[in-house]
Amino acid sequence: MRLITYLKQKARQLKSESQVLMIAYKDKRTPVALKILIWITIGYLLSPIDLIPDFIPILGWLDDLIIVPSLIAVSLKLIPANVLTDAREQQRLFSEKYKKNNFLFAILIALIWLLILYYACVLIFPYSK
């Protein structure tokens, strides 16, 4: 039971840290290269497509247990200290507001994947008369 409690706590912490990343992304003091890394991190986190599909036993889950936390940790380490402090404070004060943004961002990522799929199908199966 301790392991399950620990994992639930870590999952909640990762969720709040992803909100901190979204706040830091919007901050003008965040460097452009770091914004790209944050965009990749949040995009991968919310994307329905994984590097290793979840239906592959164990490896699919390890993908989510290793890649996502690693991307979040690297992104957080690269954020300037003053930006990170401000982002954490803002997330603590307005956490309900950012939960709605997560949903909208997930829809955006899903739409991007649908567009990629559509164009891939158009390239593979061109329309001919």
Side-chain angles (χ1 to χ4, degrees):
M1 289 306 273
R2 287 178 139 184
L3 179 64
I4 293 172
T5 306
Y6 174 76
L7 290 175
K8 284 182 181 180
Q9 177 190 9
K10 283 296 185 184
R12 273 188 237 108
Q13 183 181 3
L14 277 177
K15 188 174 181 180
S16 70
E17 294 293 13
S18 67
Q19 291 174 350
V20 169
L21 286 177
M22 290 176 67
I23 296 167
Y25 177 82
K26 295 176 185 176
D27 196 314
K28 294 182 189 316
R29 299 172 290 176
T30 304
V32 174
L34 182 56
K35 284 186 178 194
I36 293 169
L37 178 62
I38 292 172
W39 192 85
I40 291 169
T41 301
I42 298 296
Y44 188 81
L45 178 66
L46 298 176
S47 175
I49 308 294
D50 285 342
L51 196 58
I52 303 171
D54 288 339
F55 64 81
I56 297 174
I58 300 177
L59 288 178
W61 299 324
L62 284 177
D63 173 31
D64 293 334
L65 290 173
I66 294 172
I67 292 176
V68 171
S70 299
L71 283 171
I72 291 174
V74 168
S75 298
L76 288 172
K77 285 200 181 284
L78 295 175
I79 295 173
N82 57 344
V83 174
L84 186 59
T85 304
D86 292 347
R88 283 196 170 130
E89 182 64 23
Q90 194 173 356
Q91 187 273 335
R92 189 180 62 78
L93 293 174
F94 304 108
S95 63
E96 288 300 318
K97 173 185 169 187
Y98 295 108
K99 287 180 184 176
K100 293 177 186 174
N101 287 348
N102 286 349
F103 180 72
L104 294 175
F105 197 76
I107 290 173
L108 176 67
I109 296 296
L111 288 174
I112 290 170
W113 278 113
L114 286 173
L115 281 172
I116 291 170
L117 181 64
Y118 171 76
Y119 285 114
C121 287
V122 167
L123 287 173
I124 294 170
F125 307 109
Y127 178 74
S128 60
K129 292 185 177 185

